[in-house]
Amino acid sequence: MPLLAVDLSPQGTASLKRYAGVAFYLQADGLLATCKHIIQSLEPGETLVAKNLLTGDTERLIDTRCHPTADFALCRTLSPTTHDYFRHLDIEPALGTDVQALGFTAAGAEGRNLVVESRLFKGYISMSGKHPARPDARSTLAVSFPSLRGFSGAPVICGSGSALVGMLYSNLESTIELFKYEEVKDGAHRFSESVHRVLESGLVQPISDIRSFVDELGVTLQ
């Protein structure tokens, strides 16, 4: 679900301000997972709502819980409607496992409606390790495509089905040296120039860590 930041009037009407990121259902009772940095990006007076892509309606989010150290947060939709959700991958994904991620980008406003457009990336698991690449994660899981601006919180699922692998939250940068030139002048001064290309891999909070984060936030998954 796309997440939108709104200003709420004293009468309860919402004024849309901006697109904020992505959330997805962790279980049928309306429990949503997203990134902590999305919650922390809210300005004073802003409220986070989720947009229902089937109806176009927005749903206010409640019971927000941010993990103390990891870039992870939980919230719930106010609607009591039962929701479908991605089943959790019950094995550790191997390097080369095909995956895909559905996210959104802001496409401007039409009247009072903020338009979001879907974006789908496909790739594979390119890195996996027990040591975290960032202090706001517990381990490292990276995919072969970047997490674009607005993709934070997007679910990553197996390419061959709908099993949840994890959640995009950031990028890992690597560089490739394309060109290097060195010149020595007067036997003492060295002049060098190099050109690099930056490659970005999307960083994922894996489902095994997510289940631990949920438990540490005092919520029991079905």
Side-chain angles (χ1 to χ4, degrees):
M1 300 181 73
L3 299 179
L4 312 175
V6 304
D7 278 337
L8 292 180
S9 70
Q11 295 75 30
T13 57
S15 174
L16 293 172
K17 292 189 65 178
R18 59 184 175 84
Y19 169 72
V22 189
F24 61 94
Y25 289 109
L26 273 177
Q27 57 188 21
D29 64 355
L31 182 68
L32 288 165
T34 189
C35 291
K36 180 170 69 174
H37 74 259
I38 295 175
I39 307 297
Q40 294 178 334
S41 72
L42 293 175
E43 300 291 339
E46 289 185 338
T47 299
L48 204 60
V49 300
K51 182 174 182 178
N52 188 316
L53 294 178
L54 297 178
T55 65
D57 298 331
T58 56
E59 300 181 37
R60 188 172 180 178
L61 302 179
I62 60 172
D63 192 22
T64 300
R65 306 185 188 195
C66 292
H67 194 274
T69 58
D71 192 354
F72 180 79
L74 292 173
C75 51
R76 293 182 183 272
T77 51
L78 192 58
S79 171
T81 306
T82 299
H83 298 276
D84 197 7
Y85 63 98
F86 297 114
R87 274 45 181 182
H88 302 168
L89 186 69
D90 55 6
I91 59 173
E92 184 176 340
L95 290 176
T97 299
D98 291 335
V99 293
Q100 56 184 316
L102 176 67
F104 308 94
T105 56
E110 292 181 357
R112 300 181 62 184
N113 181 38
L114 188 64
V115 180
V116 293
E117 295 181 341
S118 302
R119 297 286 186 270
L120 179 69
F121 278 87
K122 289 187 176 183
Y124 54 88
I125 299 293
S126 59
M127 183 184 299
S128 179
K130 298 298 182 184
H131 299 290
R134 291 170 49 102
D136 52 3
R138 192 158 289 170
S139 61
T140 295
L141 187 67
V143 293
S144 59
F145 50 84
S147 177
L148 297 183
R149 179 177 175 84
F151 263 63
S152 292
V156 179
I157 64 173
C158 285
S160 58
S162 58
L164 180 67
V165 174
M167 178 189 75
L168 283 172
Y169 71 100
S170 188
N171 284 300
L172 181 68
E173 291 187 353
S174 303
T175 61
I176 298 175
E177 187 175 75
L178 302 179
F179 169 81
K180 185 173 183 179
Y181 170 77
E182 288 189 344
E183 181 180 354
V184 178
K185 293 184 178 181
D186 300 328
H189 301 285
R190 182 181 297 272
F191 171 79
S192 65
E193 180 181 8
S194 60
V195 177
H196 293 78
R197 186 175 71 178
V198 177
L199 299 179
E200 289 188 325
S201 301
L203 282 174
V204 178
Q205 301 281 22
I207 186 58
S208 57
D209 290 351
I210 287 176
R211 295 185 69 89
S212 297
F213 299 154
V214 171
D215 183 65
E216 291 160 10
L217 288 171
V219 177
T220 301
L221 289 176
Q222 297 170 353

